[in-house]
Amino acid sequence: PTLPPSGLPRAAPLRQGPSMGMERREALLAGGIIGAALAAGVPTPALAAEEAYAEVVAGSDGMGVDLSVSYPKGWVLERKPGTLIVNDDALIACDTDPDKCVFGDVTMKPKVAGADGAFVVVRTVEGDVGGISKDFVKKNVFGRGGKFGAFGAPEDVKFTKDETVGSTRLLEVKFTAFSPGGTTIARKGIVAMSKSGPEVYLVVATTSAQRWGKSEGLLRGTATSLKTKQTGAKVAVQEKDTGLKKSMFAAQNEERARLEREREKDGIQ
């Protein structure tokens, strides 16, 4: 039988926060991120309105996983087609040329560019979520081939808090990232992890250390809204978007190579 493709959105973005005029389904969805943040002890007045990302994705065993994350109103969702599962070969390929990245991507960020943002990471790993090492998270989220590694692997990665709420594990983290010009940027954030099937699903929500006080509630609410559940049905892996042209990344690749040469010359690893 023909399998339905993964990556099909199942929930439309919410238009407003909970109110007397909202439908019951919308109110329940909108309550997710607020309730999660309140459970973590963080005031969330800015989360009165939110939107939701939800889809059934394919695990490495071919079984569907119901994946959902809520994010603040005013943010935009970007979903690059393709499987969300990333292996070591893909990370190495992305380290050298974004065109060789063969996996999909889910990113949530403000409409007006800024320091805040969140994204989804999916990796295959044995055991339960409590047994995942911090070194595993450091390698797969804060490594050279990750989102923060475009201009050098983040440095001084430190996990400052580790707790489990229900079936979700939460790691608070601080680290130093590099800008396109080679300067350093101190960042803080929360990594939420949920295990379903062979994969662990992570939501990484971060901002600059300077904005942490203002953005912690939004980021914590986004991270703790992560929910995963196996559907019990097989789904097909979503294909990569082949319409992207290599020329789109030419300037980025050249800039990366130039910065790496300068860093090597200065003895910076």
Side-chain angles (χ1 to χ4, degrees):
T2 302
L3 298 176
S6 65
L8 298 179
R10 296 181 298 97
L14 303 181
R15 297 181 180 278
Q16 58 181 1
S19 72
M20 295 299 292
M22 286 180 66
E23 303 226 353
R24 182 174 180 274
R25 176 177 174 277
E26 286 183 308
L28 288 172
L29 279 171
I33 190 170
I34 301 171
L38 288 176
V42 179
T44 56
L47 294 181
E50 65 175 45
E51 300 185 20
Y53 154 73
E55 67 172 279
V56 175
V57 298
S60 60
D61 57 359
M63 302 301 291
V65 173
D66 196 351
L67 168 64
S68 66
V69 182
S70 297
Y71 55 95
K73 187 75 173 179
W75 284 26
V76 293
L77 171 70
E78 296 179 358
R79 174 62 164 102
K80 173 186 170 184
T83 177
L84 296 178
I85 302 172
V86 180
N87 56 30
D88 289 343
D89 290 340
L91 286 176
I92 293 172
C94 290
D95 185 12
T96 57
D97 189 342
D99 292 299
K100 297 178 182 177
C101 294
V102 294
F103 55 89
D105 184 63
V106 177
T107 302
M108 294 150 280
K109 57 187 178 181
K111 291 180 181 178
V112 178
D116 299 358
F119 56 91
V120 174
V121 176
V122 183
R123 301 289 187 272
T124 304
V125 64
E126 296 181 353
D128 59 23
V129 71
I132 297 173
S133 71
K134 294 182 178 67
D135 283 341
F136 176 89
V137 178
K138 184 176 179 180
K139 171 186 175 182
N140 288 281
V141 176
F142 302 100
R144 182 66 176 83
K147 278 190 175 293
F148 299 112
F151 303 102
E155 297 181 345
D156 302 321
V157 180
K158 296 180 180 178
F159 298 99
T160 58
K161 189 174 182 180
D162 185 347
E163 63 179 335
T164 300
V165 179
S167 60
T168 303
R169 185 175 171 191
L170 304 172
L171 296 175
E172 292 189 21
V173 64
K174 61 180 181 179
F175 60 99
T176 300
F178 290 96
S179 71
T183 58
T184 57
I185 304 170
R187 296 186 67 84
K188 298 182 71 174
I190 301 174
V191 179
M193 297 186 286
S194 177
K195 186 84 186 300
S196 285
E199 276 71 51
V200 60
Y201 297 79
L202 306 92
V203 169
V204 183
T206 70
T207 189
S208 65
Q210 185 177 8
R211 280 190 53 85
W212 177 249
K214 295 181 180 179
S215 301
E216 180 184 0
L218 292 174
L219 298 173
R220 186 177 296 276
T222 298
T224 55
S225 72
L226 169 66
K227 290 181 176 61
T228 64
K229 183 179 180 180
Q230 288 183 289
T231 65
K234 286 186 173 292
V235 295
V237 176
Q238 189 184 74
E239 296 296 329
K240 177 190 176 186
D241 184 355
T242 57
L244 298 177
K245 302 298 183 182
K246 188 169 184 178
S247 59
M248 291 176 61
F249 300 107
Q252 179 184 352
N253 292 341
E254 290 173 2
E255 177 66 7
R256 262 209 244 191
R258 183 187 68 78
L259 288 172
E260 285 191 351
R261 288 194 298 270
E262 289 182 358
R263 289 169 62 81
E264 289 176 1
K265 182 179 179 180
D266 294 336
I268 302 175
Q269 299 296 322

